[in-house]
């Protein structure tokens, strides 16, 4: 079955420290991969996406993610975290483009990031 | 500005009542989606629609209904058959056949 796993439910980092949020997926082929961020009580904002090509993807707000096919992973990274990065982060996957493509997304459970001053 | 508008932001209803959540988009997207979010469970797909007058059940459609009479609108009705309707509901849209979804700001439904 298709699934997305974010192993870390909650992460705390100090401001200025580096960050890595893990995401592993189970899928029959290479999916489209996404990271979204959600502030409390708000909708989801797309941070970055991977469809094909270069496996290191740059996103907004200084985030990047690396697709590793051999590990079925798409981990999110940021070199230096800012207090405003405190939020919930969701990894998601979508099916490949085809006549049966529904555009549905499968989400991980989310990782809550807390930033210490 | 283009975007997805969900209304209302907060909604309170008595148990046993049906309630309809509004979702409107002016992005000219063909596909629209409804997700339910509960703490610690991520987002789960309720219903989705690829074109007008057509929609399909997602993973947790029981107790919910939708309509898609216009391209811009995809209202969700939470019926009295939904056992645990209190949740945060998110509407999204995308180009047909595309996977990148854009989200509204959500509606928090509380049933008392």
């Amino acid at each position: 079955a298709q699934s997305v796993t974010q192993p870390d439910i909650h992460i705390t980092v100090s401001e200025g420290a580096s960050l890595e949020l893990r995401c592993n997926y189970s899928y029959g082929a290479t999916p489209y991969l996404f990271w979204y961020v959600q502030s409390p009580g708000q909708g989801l904002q797309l941070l970055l996406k991977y469809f094909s090509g270069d496996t290191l993807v740059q996103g907004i707000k200084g985030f990047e993610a690396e697709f590793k096919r051999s590990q079925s992973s798409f981990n999110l990274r940021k070199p230096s975290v800012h207090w405003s990065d405190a939020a919930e982060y969701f990894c998601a996957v979508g099916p490949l483009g085809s006549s049966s493509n529904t555009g549905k997304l499968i989400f991980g459970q989310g990782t809550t990031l807390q930033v210490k001053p | 500005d283009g975007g997805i508008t969900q209304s209302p932001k907060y909604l309170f209803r008595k148990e046993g009542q049906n309630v309809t959540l509004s979702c409107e988009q002016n992005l000219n997207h063909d596909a629209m989606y409804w997700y339910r979010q509960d703490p610690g469970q991520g987002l789960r797909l309720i219903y989705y629609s690829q074109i007008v007058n057509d929609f399909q059940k997602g993973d947790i459609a029981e107790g919910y209904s939708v309509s898609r009479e216009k391209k811009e609108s995809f209202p969700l009705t939470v019926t009295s058959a939904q056992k645990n309707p209190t949740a945060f509901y998110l509407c999204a849209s995308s180009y047909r056949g595309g996977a990148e979804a854009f989200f509204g700001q959500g509606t928090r439904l509380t049933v008392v």
Side-chain angles (χ1 to χ4, degrees), chain A residues 32 34 36 38 41-44 46 49 51 88 90 95 97 101-105 107-109, chain B residues 9 33 35 37 40-43 45 48 50 88 90 97-105 108:
Chain A
Y32 296 160
F34 307 85
Y36 284 89
Q38 183 183 37
Q42 300 298 312
L44 273 65
L46 181 68
K49 62 193 177 193
F51 286 178
E88 190 160 19
F90 292 95
N101 179 24
T102 63
K104 295 189 301 180
L105 296 179
F107 284 85
Q109 300 92 327
Chain B
K9 188 171 178 64
Y33 314 85
Y35 288 90
Q37 184 177 17
Q41 295 192 47
L43 281 72
L45 184 65
Y48 61 102
Q50 296 289 88
F88 191 54
L90 286 158
E100 179 179 350
F102 296 84
F103 284 81
Q105 293 301 298
R108 182 165 300 280

Side-chain angles (χ1 to χ4, degrees), chain B residues 8-82:
Chain B
K9 188 171 178 64
Y10 299 96
L11 191 53
F12 295 87
R13 280 294 183 272
K14 291 184 179 179
E15 194 171 336
Q17 290 182 335
N18 291 355
V19 61
T20 298
L21 283 60
S22 170
C23 178
E24 303 276 335
Q25 56 97 1
N26 60 4
L27 299 168
N28 200 33
H29 286 165
D30 295 295
M32 297 186 74
Y33 314 85
W34 275 105
Y35 288 90
R36 171 180 171 141
Q37 184 177 17
D38 296 283
Q41 295 192 47
L43 281 72
R44 294 178 290 168
L45 184 65
I46 305 172
Y47 267 98
Y48 61 102
S49 168
Q50 296 289 88
I51 57 174
V52 174
N53 293 323
D54 188 50
F55 49 83
Q56 287 80 40
K57 294 182 180 179
D59 301 318
I60 56 165
E62 185 176 351
Y64 300 98
S65 66
V66 294
S67 63
R68 186 82 188 279
E69 297 177 1
K70 298 187 299 182
K71 186 176 183 178
E72 306 80 30
S73 178
F74 191 41
L76 173 74
T77 297
V78 184
T79 75
S80 57
Q82 168 52 230

Side-chain angles (χ1 to χ4, degrees), chain A:
Chain A
Q2 302 159 359
S3 66
V4 177
T5 301
Q6 294 180 241
D8 304 305
I9 296 173
H10 191 277
I11 282 183
T12 300
V13 301
S14 298
E15 189 168 15
S18 63
L19 171 71
E20 182 170 30
L21 302 182
R22 296 182 290 165
C23 173
N24 295 97
Y25 65 89
S26 174
Y27 205 83
T30 301
Y32 296 160
L33 295 156
F34 307 85
W35 275 100
Y36 284 89
V37 61
Q38 183 183 37
S39 297
Q42 300 298 312
L44 273 65
Q45 181 183 21
L46 181 68
L47 283 175
L48 46 77
K49 62 193 177 193
Y50 173 79
F51 286 178
S52 65
D54 192 346
T55 57
L56 184 62
V57 179
Q58 301 299 318
I60 62 172
K61 304 184 180 186
F63 286 92
E64 66 178 25
E66 185 172 13
F67 168 59
K68 292 186 177 180
R69 185 190 307 273
S70 62
Q71 299 177 19
S72 296
S73 69
F74 189 57
N75 294 349
L76 182 71
R77 300 193 295 250
K78 187 170 185 178
S80 177
V81 170
H82 188 263
W83 64 267
S84 60
D85 293 324
E88 190 160 19
Y89 292 80
F90 292 95
C91 180
V93 302
L96 291 172
S98 72
S99 60
S100 63
N101 179 24
T102 63
K104 295 189 301 180
L105 296 179
I106 305 163
F107 284 85
Q109 300 92 327
T111 297
T112 299
L113 173 64
Q114 182 180 358
V115 181
K116 293 190 301 184

